[in-house]
Amino acid sequence: MMAYNFSKIEKKWQEIWENNNAFEASENEKQKYYILEMFPYPSGKIHMGHVRNYSIGDVFARFKRMRGFNVLHPMGWDAFGLPAENAAIKHGIHPNKWTLENIDDMKKQLKRLGLSYDWNREVTTCLPDYYKWTQWFFIQLYKRGLAYKKKSAVNWCPSCETVLANEQVVDGACERCDTPVGKKELEQWYFKITDYAERLLEDIKELEGWPEKVKIMQKNWIGKSKGAEIDFEIKGFNKKLKVFTTRPDTIYGVTYMVMAPEHPYINELVKGTEYEEEVLEFKKKMEYISEIDRTSTTAEKEGVFIGRYAVNPVTKEEIPIYIANYVLIDYGTGAIMAVPGHDQRDFEFAKKYNIPIRPVIKPVEREFDENNLKEAYTGEGIMINSDKFNGLDNKIAKTEITKYIEELGIGKATVNYRLRDWLISRQRYWGTPIPIVYCDDCGIVPVNEEDLPVKLPTDVEFTGKGQSPLTTSKEFMYTTCPKCGKKARRETDTMDTFIDSSWYFLRYTDPKNENEPFNKDKANYWLKVDQYIGGVEHAILHLLYSRFFVKVLYDMGLSPVNEPFKNLLTQGMVLKDGAKMSKSKGNVVSPEEIISNYGADTARLFVLFAAPPERDLEWSDQGVEGCYRFLNRVYRLVEELKEVYNNKCEINIEQLSKADKNLRYVIHSTIQKVTTDIEDRFNFNTAISSIMELVNEIYRYKDNAEASNYKDAILIESLDSLILLLAPFAPHLAEELWHFVGNEGSVHQQKWPEYDRKAIVKDQITIVIQVNGKVRDKIEVDANIDKESLEKLALNSERVKSFIEGKEIKKIIVVPKKLVNIVAK
């Protein structure tokens, strides 16, 4: 008997698939299916999370091909980013060389997994043929007023002398040098995603194939709030303080105002006053505290009086203005009207700084001591201390007070969004250059489209300090103005890498196009992405940015769809010893090691069998060995029964024995179960479990003396079904066994097996017999037995008789095709 030589088998079929372009896709008359896993950052090594993510996608891609679909299943590389630049600084290797070498290594690793990718469609975001079109998109957004530049506060590392993205700040410090990160005002480029806030929110209802938790996360991130915008005069100052509130019904309870420390009015308001030093010191302190820490519910509320007063526009009272840690410049208008009687944060702040607390709403059904509040009252109720609105239900008062504010000309009803415009500037080298030049005469000028791409120069210095390395390349820095031809300088910021990944799925539809980012007819054929797969950590930014990008392209007449992804699966993490795998925890399992020791099919089978895709998976060495033993068992079974293929014949259903019918029942019920589990539920673990049960049943049947003359034909049916069902999960072994038994063509080009409805209707069924709820016997009966006959058989059971002898039968409960319960006393 030959051994299961997985190494030889897998290498053999991977070469054949590659040489035959087995998974190449093109537009045709078939129904298309576009399946996509989020493409990886080329770090150099794949991890078990990659193995799981890509195996999930590959199962579905292979299954859909066998179901007759024209499947697009591409792969590429999210290749720009800070790690490559850090490697350049640390190891003295150019980011381009480091990245391309990593891509080459990871591509080989992915190919060892036997993933059915169309590698002819590979895209790499750091290559000019891709980022040329990223720059082209930037120019289109700029022309439509959706790309703009403004001054804003950014994360600043004083040691590296550079700007950091939020994700590069870890526990308030620079991830590179561990120096505390502060804030600095710089001119930055933004995309006006807020123009699409309402559409992004409204169209969530179209995302029927998305997990509910992801849709909720996006809704919360966009954060639509209905309320009122109100102007408060600042005494002795010529500008008004604008606030947004969702609670206009509480305006009579305002006892102080709070401005964000970063508010542009602050310096002017305190300049030359006795409060200036303390206010500026507090502002400086806030620069080194993250927004998350400042707004945490557990953080102590603290602030400073700025020596100024606002005027409540409805009561005409003068109320003090503070700056405080819990108000942020990027939320609302950067200022709030504080109502300590009805907001717990305001309540805590007011208590700390001895500010009056005036409740204006009281509950209806409980006692309420307005002079002795222990906490803010945030519920509904009746208006008090609110002049002519006293006695109104506060829900009605919201509308009435908003109307009153509008009549007075001091505000208006409005909608606010939590969503802020997308900051895309990065003071980095390894990213897409922003295609803008600065001319002394013409100002900001986009590069001419025919001059794209603006290529990254290679003559740059990587010091890790100061401005972008692009500033060290004179050849890059200085150019001519596209408008007037005079001397100009280039923008040295590069784009956020989220832009690269916001449209890559469109480029896959036409990756070799040199004249446009993609052909609309090809995009029209393939889009939407039918199934998108990736980690839930991308639920907000990547998925939201991709949705925004597609909507902009849709409005431009470029994208045929308004939403990019029809269905979304967010897979769980791979854990070991209860924690996410990481080098720092020392719990990493190397995919290469698993593949070398057990084979790619075993690695795939384990990550698919150990847990449902959306759940976290706990690594188990015993589980891997179990999957390996199972594949060996399948190999031995097919090898042992190969000779039955010499005795092919048509099966006569009428002449089958009980053993024959039972195996055919298992075969066809397994086909039904596996099909449903893959197609409808992504329950790969239960599908594999069903296949394992089928293997057990085939082993039992092959030695069964009760089999009929059609035994060989039924074994052929069972083995063919087994191999076809196993093909998406263990593609190399299935391909090998398919040819081993003499079948023609690739197993992955065969039609997915259909189940025979007649075969899964049993002639005989097992009925459980209970006495007073306890199981006492099991009997085989005709599937169509009537209730009266079933009761008689149950009472005549020898095992049952001993439990009911001498007792009175009170009643007999029959659950059709399942059980009989005899109640006796």
Side-chain angles (χ1 to χ4, degrees), residues 229-246:
E229 217 170 57
I230 306 171
D231 292 330
F232 284 72
E233 289 184 5
I234 300 174
K235 192 176 178 186
F237 192 63
N238 60 358
K239 296 173 186 173
K240 291 182 179 179
L241 187 58
K242 192 179 292 294
V243 302
F244 171 80
T245 179
T246 59

Side-chain angles (χ1 to χ4, degrees), residues 141 146-147 190-197 199-200 218 419 421-422 424 499 502 505 541-555 562-564:
L141 266 69
L146 293 171
Y190 287 82
F191 280 167
K192 211 167 187 182
I193 192 172
T194 52
D195 275 12
Y196 283 77
R199 279 172 64 184
L200 287 166
Q218 291 222 348
L419 182 68
D421 280 343
W422 176 5
I424 67 153
I499 297 175
S502 290
F505 45 89
L541 297 184
H542 164 59
L543 291 171
L544 192 67
Y545 292 154
S546 297
R547 294 182 61 220
F548 162 65
F549 229 78
V550 165
K551 289 182 186 303
V552 173
L553 299 185
Y554 181 79
D555 290 350
N562 186 44
E563 287 286 343

Side-chain angles (χ1 to χ4, degrees), residues 512-620:
K512 303 289 195 297
N513 197 325
E514 296 179 2
N515 302 314
E516 54 188 341
F518 50 86
N519 177 273
K520 189 175 178 182
D521 289 339
K522 291 184 177 182
N524 191 49
Y525 176 83
W526 289 113
L527 291 178
K528 303 176 182 178
V529 174
D530 293 281
Q531 183 65 59
Y532 200 33
I533 302 169
V536 74
E537 66 272 18
H538 300 294
I540 296 173
L541 297 184
H542 164 59
L543 291 171
L544 192 67
Y545 292 154
S546 297
R547 294 182 61 220
F548 162 65
F549 229 78
V550 165
K551 289 182 186 303
V552 173
L553 299 185
Y554 181 79
D555 290 350
M556 290 169 60
L558 293 176
S559 171
V561 294
N562 186 44
E563 287 286 343
F565 313 120
K566 184 177 180 182
N567 298 295
L568 174 69
L569 173 70
T570 52
Q571 95 282 354
M573 295 185 295
V574 180
L575 310 176
K576 191 167 192 290
D577 304 323
K580 183 181 178 181
M581 287 187 182
S582 71
K583 289 180 182 178
S584 62
K585 293 188 177 76
N587 65 347
V588 172
V589 175
S590 164
E592 289 185 291
E593 188 178 327
I594 297 297
I595 292 169
S596 295
N597 293 338
Y598 297 99
D601 281 348
T602 295
R604 291 167 59 116
L605 198 69
F606 170 73
V607 296
L608 297 166
F609 177 58
E614 71 280 1
R615 302 268 183 87
D616 289 344
L617 180 158
E618 179 66 40
W619 183 264
S620 163

Side-chain angles (χ1 to χ4, degrees), residues 214-280:
V214 174
K215 292 191 281 187
I216 290 169
M217 289 166 77
Q218 291 222 348
K219 284 178 184 175
N220 291 342
W221 188 261
I222 296 166
K224 182 178 181 179
S225 302
K226 292 182 179 179
E229 217 170 57
I230 306 171
D231 292 330
F232 284 72
E233 289 184 5
I234 300 174
K235 192 176 178 186
F237 192 63
N238 60 358
K239 296 173 186 173
K240 291 182 179 179
L241 187 58
K242 192 179 292 294
V243 302
F244 171 80
T245 179
T246 59
R247 297 294 306 274
D249 53 325
T250 64
I251 191 168
Y252 286 89
V254 176
T255 56
Y256 68 101
M257 306 292 289
V258 182
M259 299 171 72
E262 304 84 2
H263 198 288
Y265 291 179
I266 296 296
N267 288 1
E268 195 177 348
L269 286 168
V270 299
K271 189 174 182 180
T273 71
E274 62 184 289
Y275 300 94
E276 183 175 13
E277 185 179 345
E278 186 182 9
V279 168
L280 295 183

